[in-house]
Amino acid sequence: MIYEKFKELTEFKDEKGISFYSNINVSSYKNELLSFAKNGIDNLSNKIKKEDLNYFSESKNNLLNHLEAIRIKGKSLFIFSTPKKVYEYFYNFPLRNEIYFGFPNLYQFYWVIIENPDFGIVNISLKKFEFYKINLYKESGIIQTVPSIDTSSWRRKHLMPPSAPKGDITVGAIGGGTLKDAYKKRYNLQINKILKEFKINVLKNSEGLKTIFVTSDSEENIDEFLNIEPNSNIFSKLVTPSNATFQDILNISIEKLEEIKMNEEEKILNELLERASTGNLAAVGSFASLKFIQDGRVNRIVLSENFSKLVNICKNCSYIFMEKEICPICNSKEFDIDDLRFNIHNLAEKYKSDLYIIHKDLAKKLDLNGGIGVLLRY
């Protein structure tokens, strides 16, 4: 997973510190990082409890000193600064600029995994059949799970067939064609056989993928692959330029994937709002959503990327509740206050619910309905 780099922080309970997320502008990174850190620290200062002031002050000084001497190694940065040590991690994907005080706040990395599921690329070229499983936000990155098949020798034979093909040389005459036609027929049968075996192997190795882009500079090549049994709606056609490198194909695939994701988000949001308006196994708003989630009734949690809501977390039984001074489950009066935004992925995992993050203008539409909603199992 994406947080393998900082596994020591996933169960870090030694002491509190500052969690610092920032994207990096290489041309002016130091000034921007320091400016953002200082502004964020100023905003946090008035929210720190008296018993945490020493932790906060020492963590702040360590963070600012670290940023003064930092050497950039990526496009974004996560730091967890404590009085004893500064933990530093660089990444090559965008993060939301945020700063928090407490135990390590790692929610952004869980969201990145949710927002960027694995996808596949099948590339059908004149020289090779290739299949890659891809998630640029994981440690694994790009994996070639099915060996490439080199077709260049077959293609050359197809373009320049021998004068007397081996085998039954009367096939072409009986069919009314030439020897070249007969050879081409046998060649196509061979290619189709190999392509079918390749497609079966792709599907066998497609576990966890919602989308596999079938790419080529020839729509005919793509259709040839798609028309071979077995069929699957996991495949999506994507014609690419003839001179496209793998990086070009990857970039085009990512752009197309964003388009697919936005369409899916719109569909999910519309379903949520329509069903919630009629009370058809759906609800919106923090209070109702939180109760249904913890009752184990939620199939899908739909969350705005802007969502933020302070809640109480019972120290005794970990139940999350709102607007009360006592836990409704165990009657304990001991609780921590935290943002539900930072805990929603844990609830989704605990209660076996799918979590969908809604972005941009669609998120604003959900914000008008409380920023969160749920689709129920029953």
Side-chain angles (χ1 to χ4, degrees):
M1 297 292 283
I2 198 169
Y3 43 83
E4 285 173 354
K5 283 186 180 178
F6 48 88
K7 207 166 188 177
E8 72 261 54
L9 297 187
T10 58
E11 298 181 359
F12 189 94
K13 296 296 180 184
D14 292 343
E15 57 187 350
K16 295 179 180 180
I18 296 175
S19 295
F20 177 81
Y21 293 93
S22 183
N23 291 309
I24 298 167
N25 182 338
V26 176
S27 62
S28 58
Y29 70 87
K30 188 168 291 187
N31 290 336
E32 288 190 6
L33 288 175
L34 282 168
S35 176
F36 170 56
K38 289 175 181 177
N39 289 336
I41 287 168
D42 287 342
N43 292 332
L44 284 175
S45 297
N46 296 328
K47 304 174 184 177
I48 305 302
K49 295 178 181 178
K50 186 176 181 180
E51 60 266 28
D52 291 329
L53 285 175
N54 287 338
Y55 279 109
F56 178 72
S57 179
E58 293 179 35
S59 299
K60 172 193 72 174
N61 292 336
N62 284 347
L63 173 62
L64 294 177
N65 290 336
H66 188 81
L67 290 175
E68 285 280 4
I70 198 168
R71 295 182 64 184
I72 297 302
K73 303 171 188 174
K75 295 180 180 178
S76 57
L77 168 68
F78 170 65
I79 289 177
F80 183 61
S81 176
T82 74
K84 296 179 181 177
K85 185 177 178 180
V86 175
Y87 301 83
E88 173 193 276
Y89 309 93
F90 286 99
Y91 289 91
N92 286 313
F93 52 82
L95 294 169
R96 298 170 175 89
N97 293 335
E98 294 179 315
I99 184 168
Y100 307 99
F101 177 76
F103 292 115
N105 189 330
L106 309 178
Y107 90 96
Q108 282 210 39
F109 297 102
Y110 293 89
W111 278 29
V112 164
I113 294 295
I114 294 167
E115 292 171 313
N116 300 277
D118 292 8
F119 66 99
I121 292 178
V122 167
N123 186 36
I124 308 296
S125 71
L126 288 176
K127 296 181 178 180
K128 290 180 181 179
F129 301 154
E130 300 173 294
F131 173 57
Y132 298 92
K133 289 179 72 172
I134 296 169
N135 193 315
L136 302 180
Y137 304 88
K138 289 185 179 179
E139 298 295 301
S140 52
I142 300 173
I143 301 176
Q144 193 169 7
T145 54
V146 176
S148 296
I149 298 178
D150 186 349
T151 65
S152 57
S153 59
W154 304 333
R155 303 289 180 182
R156 284 195 298 271
K157 289 177 183 178
H158 178 44
L159 294 173
M160 296 181 292
S163 57
K166 294 179 181 179
D168 185 359
I169 62 173
T170 64
V171 171
I174 292 173
T178 65
L179 291 175
K180 184 173 180 180
D181 292 331
Y183 182 84
K184 183 176 180 181
K185 181 179 178 180
R186 290 199 296 276
Y187 162 82
N188 286 335
L189 287 172
Q190 176 76 341
I191 286 290
N192 287 341
K193 178 184 176 183
I194 299 299
L195 198 56
K196 182 173 183 176
E197 291 176 358
F198 177 69
K199 188 174 185 180
I200 290 172
N201 281 332
V202 167
L203 288 171
K204 282 181 179 177
N205 287 273
S206 64
E207 184 179 357
L209 304 183
K210 286 185 176 181
T211 304
I212 297 177
F213 293 110
V214 183
T215 69
S216 177
D217 60 356
S218 165
E219 190 167 2
E220 183 180 350
N221 288 346
I222 296 175
D223 290 337
E224 184 180 18
F225 176 87
L226 294 177
N227 291 335
I228 288 178
E229 296 289 341
N231 293 319
S232 173
N233 59 9
I234 196 173
F235 294 114
S236 181
K237 183 189 297 188
L238 192 60
V239 180
T240 54
S242 59
N243 60 346
T245 64
F246 178 76
Q247 186 62 50
D248 295 331
I249 294 171
L250 182 59
N251 292 339
I252 295 169
S253 300
I254 291 171
E255 289 178 9
K256 184 65 176 177
L257 191 65
E258 285 298 316
E259 182 182 323
I260 292 173
K261 283 166 55 181
M262 290 303 295
N263 290 337
E264 184 180 18
E265 286 180 21
E266 184 174 20
K267 182 179 178 181
I268 291 169
L269 179 59
N270 289 340
E271 180 187 0
L272 169 69
L273 297 180
E274 181 179 343
R275 285 173 53 177
S277 67
T278 59
N280 180 18
L281 292 177
V284 292
S286 302
F287 186 84
S289 297
L290 189 55
K291 184 178 187 310
F292 282 131
I293 292 169
Q294 293 178 112
D295 285 346
R297 294 180 57 188
V298 172
N299 180 45
R300 181 178 291 169
I301 304 169
V302 186
L303 189 76
S304 164
E305 65 174 339
N306 309 316
F307 177 78
S308 179
K309 183 70 176 179
L310 291 179
V311 293
N312 302 326
I313 304 177
C314 179
K315 288 185 176 181
N316 181 51
C317 70
S318 301
Y319 191 78
I320 300 178
F321 58 99
M322 299 168 55
E323 301 172 358
K324 291 183 179 181
E325 296 298 320
I326 185 170
C327 174
I329 302 300
C330 70
N331 295 322
S332 172
K333 295 182 179 179
E334 297 292 321
F335 56 84
D336 292 319
I337 298 174
D338 202 0
D339 199 319
L340 183 56
R341 175 188 184 89
F342 308 148
N343 297 276
I344 197 71
H345 62 276
N346 292 325
L347 288 176
E349 183 176 359
K350 181 177 180 179
Y351 294 99
K352 304 295 188 292
S353 304
D354 293 328
L355 176 59
Y356 285 83
I357 313 296
I358 306 297
H359 301 86
K360 300 180 181 179
D361 289 342
L362 292 173
K364 294 176 183 178
K365 187 176 179 181
L366 183 55
D367 291 341
L368 296 175
N369 293 272
I372 187 173
V374 290
L375 295 167
L376 305 181
R377 296 188 178 103
Y378 58 90

